[in-house]
Amino acid sequence: MDATTLTTPAVLILLGPPGAGKGTQARMLEDTFGLVQLSTGDLLRDAVAARTEAGKAAKAVMEAGDLVSDEIVIDILRDRMVQPDCAKGVILDGFPRTTVQAEALDGLLASNDQKINAAISLEVEDAEMVVRISGRYTCAGCGEGYHDKYKRPAKDGTCDKCGHTEFMRRADDNAETVASRLTAYHAQTAPLISYYEGQGVLKRTDAMGRIEGIARDLEVIVRDAMI
Ligand code: AMP
């Protein structure tokens, strides 16, 4: 990454396989700590919807459950991280996913005298991830996340948060793509656990339980990491 001026006071990374709950937990941490969630998956889906050059290049790769090129993802993340709201501090959700991305992030942060406060590994078994991914959906109005098994709206078919009655499922949340996404995770992303352990910033948390319990554990880790 090129040197770019950053003013982020805290940098947290959520590591974990697809379906570990990174997005759900990042949004809760956003509310609790006033940080900004940066999801490269969301940024890429926006680029696909807007039919930008990056979006066109990423579309088929995402549908297949493979990783988008480091170059595209790093560019997208860097552009987002220099926006003023990121000055509050960021929670990276789904980035980095390769060693090249992790090194690029280190370079960007170092050139701005920033450092990673914590890289938190959400640990979940593969079988549970498949259940989580295949059951999840979001409100088409406000993006609130739901799950067929774990988190249904209080009134069936109506969003608890905004009252909208339409919901969406991600195109890549299907059985075939999930298998590729898990393979990509184990081959390319899981090695980052040792990478951050080596930097002394790794925290591990059991993410097999209920959303609220995991959120409480994460809050303790994050409070500690932000001191
Ligand atoms: P996510 O929303 O994090 O599950 O990401 C959805 C898809 O976007 C992934 O399966 C990848 O195809 C792509 N993607 C998201 N983040 C990255 C990243 N950091 N590196 C490469 N591909 C990514």
Side-chain angles (χ1 to χ4, degrees), residues 1 4-13 34-38 77-92 105-106 108-117 226:
M1 270 187 205
T4 317
T5 306
L6 280 184
T7 46
T8 49
V11 179
L12 300 166
I13 296 172
L35 300 166
V36 174
Q37 173 202 15
L38 296 188
L77 183 91
R78 184 192 49 213
D79 290 351
R80 180 66 186 87
M81 268 181 93
V82 295
Q83 288 173 23
D85 60 332
C86 292
K88 296 185 224 166
V90 294
I91 309 165
L92 299 176
L105 178 65
D106 285 347
L108 176 67
L109 296 175
S111 62
N112 288 281
D113 272 339
Q114 293 281 318
K115 62 178 180 46
I116 293 161
N117 297 66
M226 285 173 61

Side-chain angles (χ1 to χ4, degrees), residues 92-135:
L92 299 176
D93 154 14
F95 183 96
R97 258 174 157 105
T98 65
T99 307
V100 170
Q101 294 176 18
E103 288 169 352
L105 178 65
D106 285 347
L108 176 67
L109 296 175
S111 62
N112 288 281
D113 272 339
Q114 293 281 318
K115 62 178 180 46
I116 293 161
N117 297 66
I120 307 167
S121 169
L122 302 184
E123 314 217 317
V124 187
E125 288 159 17
D126 279 13
E128 171 65 8
M129 288 182 255
V130 176
V131 173
R132 288 191 188 183
I133 293 175
S134 50

Side-chain angles (χ1 to χ4, degrees), residues 40-41 44-45 62 66 68 73 94 97 101 170 172 181:
T40 41
L44 287 165
R45 280 183 286 279
M62 292 171 76
D66 296 328
V68 174
V73 178
R97 258 174 157 105
Q101 294 176 18
R170 275 171 48 173
D172 61 347
R181 287 160 70 197

